[in-house]
Amino acid sequence: SEFLMATIVERLAEFAVGLEDKDIPTTVRERVRLQVVHIAGLIDQAPEGGPWVGMRKLASKRGAAALKGGGTTSAAAAAGIHAAMAAGTDRLDHLLGGSPGVGAVCAGFATAKGQSLGSLLTAIAVGNEVGGRIGAALLFGSSHGGCAGWVPRVAAAATAGRLLGLSAQQMGHALSMAIVSAGPIPRAVLAGEGRAHAFGAATTGGVTDARLAASGVTGQLDVLEAAGGLLEAESWIPLPHAFSGLGNAW
């Protein structure tokens, strides 16, 4: 009964922190591995010029997260820089309702120091599941698909939160802050030069949301289903069923 009374965000958070490596089907884990290779390849093939150049100049030169090409910076900055590089070529992976992979993988790269490969893959799977379901629930809206800027930010928050060891309560607040702080990406931006910055900023924000939650900052846990919440505001026909089947439907 307590689970039934929980908000959608709280149910997503419980799944995000409770998922065990052994619960992930082999086919899903293999897709996550391929996703990691794909995003890493996009980062490696990013052209020399792009918004990530300026992002790197402004980023702190001190931090635990390694940058492609050498150097280190903060986890949030590294996640955003690499996400911008990956998004620059417009070849991101796409799940029903959005592109969670760039947020999940780049946040994972930035926050996985000292973690095992298995832990990283599980955290990325969590980001895909949570972020992807946000996008699927908004499928019948004006900002569906790649325009759903909530997807990469929530995916990044979920993956980073998992690797940072957030509790279910903290994870819920991280996800709610990511939802509140994100927004739609205009189609003109998605098809143009602004795409890299949009995905980079969303991913940086998601990692920051996870760290804020770890520090005790709280968000609005009913932000999805509340009157005037995200589902009502951003979808003509909300699909709350997208949040069912956690751990069974992938």
Side-chain angles (χ1 to χ4, degrees):
S1 59
E2 183 179 347
F3 182 79
L4 293 176
M5 294 175 63
T7 66
I8 295 173
V9 163
E10 288 173 310
R11 300 205 311 267
L12 292 173
E14 288 284 355
F15 165 78
V17 303
L19 182 67
E20 297 184 16
D21 295 2
K22 63 180 179 60
D23 297 329
I24 302 176
T26 302
T27 53
V28 174
R29 186 167 290 274
E30 182 59 27
R31 284 184 175 273
V32 173
R33 287 179 180 271
L34 292 173
Q35 186 182 52
V36 169
V37 172
H38 174 66
I39 297 297
L42 293 180
I43 295 170
D44 186 61
Q45 295 172 16
E48 293 184 2
W52 48 89
V53 177
M55 294 166 69
R56 183 164 182 153
K57 287 180 180 179
L58 288 175
S60 169
K61 301 300 187 292
R62 300 177 63 183
L67 286 168
K68 193 265 180 179
T72 62
T73 187
S74 68
I81 291 168
H82 293 148
M85 295 173 74
T89 55
D90 194 21
R91 287 183 286 167
L92 296 178
D93 63 310
H94 193 84
L95 298 183
L96 180 63
S99 301
V102 65
V105 173
C106 292
F109 286 165
T111 56
K113 185 174 182 178
Q115 303 271 1
S116 68
L117 176 60
S119 295
L120 172 62
L121 295 178
T122 296
I124 293 173
V126 163
N128 280 322
E129 290 298 313
V130 175
R133 288 168 190 270
I134 297 288
L138 301 175
L139 188 61
F140 295 121
S142 60
S143 300
H144 64 277
C147 294
W150 302 273
V151 174
R153 184 157 184 155
V154 170
T159 296
R162 170 79 186 209
L163 289 168
L164 291 172
L166 298 190
S167 67
Q169 183 180 40
Q170 291 171 324
M171 179 68 82
H173 291 303
L175 299 180
S176 66
M177 285 188 284
I179 293 167
V180 168
S181 303
I185 301 174
R187 295 199 178 277
V189 172
L190 195 66
E193 295 180 357
R195 177 183 59 252
H197 174 72
F199 278 94
T203 304
T204 289
V207 175
T208 300
D209 295 327
R211 296 184 67 85
L212 286 172
S215 298
V217 181
T218 59
Q220 182 176 340
L221 296 175
D222 65 348
V223 63
L224 287 172
E225 69 270 36
L230 183 66
L231 295 182
E232 180 181 299
E234 294 295 335
S235 182
W236 305 306
I237 306 175
L239 300 176
H241 188 68
F243 301 108
S244 64
L246 288 164
N248 295 312
W250 299 85

